[in-house]
Amino acid sequence: MQIGFIGLGRMGGNMVHRLANGGHQVVAFNRSPGPVQEAVEHGAIGATSVEDLVQKVQAPRVIWLMLPAGNATEEYLNKLMDLCEPGDLFVDGANAKWKETKRHAEAAKARGFNFVDCGVSGGVWGLENGYAIMAGGDPDQYARVEPAIKTLAPPEGGHGLMGPNGAGHFVKMVHNGIEYGMMQAYAEGFEILEKSEYDMDLHQIAELWQYGSVVRSWLLDLAVNALGDDPKLEKLEGWVADSGEGRWTIEAAMEEDVPSPVITLSLISRLYSRDPNNFSWRMLAALRNQFGGHAVKSTTGS
């Protein structure tokens, strides 16, 4: 099939590469020209602007956006609605909040366009292994883009329609919330091992757990890679970002009265990681010193 593709970042560029390798005609655009040239080298047709992309993709068009959620996605959706024709289909592959996705879908439909949201998981490994794709939208519109989705997904499956618009991004959001909890459990477990009285080879332990262990997973495979490169992780700072999905998962859990302590605490742990001299920890130390005379560590060394 022919498909327009906007956004050639770490995932988008690899997705275009996989689509072109799968025999699809991809018209690719990115705000900076370098990734467009790389896409052309992998078999895509380059576009110099959104206008150029719309001209090169035949109506009724299918145009996939792989942009950061929020302002960037909204800006390009608005551009496309001014340039495209009723009946064209927009696919949003961003990690957008499902409530925003529903609003975007309604705005597109009000002007005669179609909309499918696709939560995409697979990271930089997706080019080789395929991407898990969780879609939301009308079944007929999903069917229009399904040939591309099947090419992007692993050969054995890993794709499907989750429900109406917003459902794809909702499922991807919960997926990422679960991911937060799994990563936190691995992180805490390896810290217990690292701080034990034993001189542990963490890389050896992670490799051992890959075989037959009930905690084996792809995340554990990635831990093996990381520990193989840097056994004590001394090259890294303990600063962990979050891109929003964990927060939104907790918000949804609260709205639905679902207790989610593991996901909630894993997000809070990420927040702690960004401030090694957190005021609340300093206040705790001060209070313990005040009521019990417990020792404190001074920043002046005195």
Side-chain angles (χ1 to χ4, degrees), residues 23-265:
H24 300 281
Q25 185 183 81
V26 186
V27 181
F29 170 71
N30 194 73
R31 186 166 55 184
S32 54
V36 177
Q37 183 55 43
E38 289 183 26
V40 170
E41 292 170 2
H42 292 306
I45 298 169
T48 58
S49 65
V50 178
E51 291 83 357
D52 186 35
L53 180 140
V54 170
Q55 290 179 358
K56 289 178 176 176
V57 179
Q58 297 177 353
R61 301 172 181 84
V62 176
I63 300 177
W64 190 306
L65 291 85
M66 203 68 191
L67 298 165
N71 292 337
T73 295
E74 183 138 4
E75 175 188 347
Y76 278 87
L77 278 172
N78 288 334
K79 284 184 180 180
L80 288 170
M81 286 192 283
D82 289 338
L83 294 168
C84 290
E85 303 170 45
D88 289 351
L89 168 62
F90 307 136
V91 181
D92 179 11
N95 279 332
K97 190 173 185 178
W98 85 100
K99 293 180 179 178
E100 290 296 297
T101 297
K102 291 172 67 175
R103 182 174 63 81
H104 290 157
E106 289 168 3
K109 291 176 180 178
R111 296 181 59 176
F113 300 106
N114 300 294
F115 191 96
V116 169
D117 50 286
C118 282
V120 182
S121 180
V124 296
W125 296 83
L127 172 60
E128 179 181 351
N129 300 330
Y131 302 88
I133 298 181
M134 299 141 268
D138 182 82
D140 291 339
Q141 299 307 316
Y142 176 75
R144 285 178 63 182
V145 74
E146 191 173 21
I149 289 174
K150 286 182 175 179
T151 299
L152 290 168
E156 63 274 14
H159 62 89
L161 182 64
M162 306 293 100
N165 284 127
H169 283 164
F170 189 89
V171 172
K172 176 57 164 53
M173 173 195 74
V174 175
H175 164 281
N176 282 26
I178 293 169
E179 175 188 296
Y180 277 42
M182 293 175 65
M183 291 172 66
Q184 186 67 28
Y186 280 125
E188 292 174 7
F190 277 103
E191 182 173 15
I192 294 167
L193 293 169
E194 195 273 333
K195 288 187 173 178
S196 76
E197 64 183 276
Y198 304 103
D199 184 17
M200 296 286 191
D201 183 338
L202 302 184
H203 183 249
Q204 178 194 23
I205 293 167
E207 282 191 314
L208 183 154
W209 285 349
Q210 287 179 294
Y211 301 95
S213 163
V214 296
V215 299
R216 65 189 184 273
S217 72
W218 186 52
L219 284 174
L220 181 64
D221 297 342
L222 298 179
V224 169
N225 293 346
L227 291 167
D229 294 338
D230 185 3
K232 295 292 185 181
L233 303 182
E234 294 168 330
K235 301 174 184 176
L236 299 175
E237 288 188 20
W239 193 99
V240 186
D242 75 284
S243 53
E245 295 90 340
R247 298 173 188 237
W248 303 335
T249 304
I250 295 164
E251 178 185 314
M254 294 176 67
E255 290 176 351
E256 297 165 6
D257 293 331
V258 177
S260 55
V262 172
I263 296 172
T264 301
L265 290 175

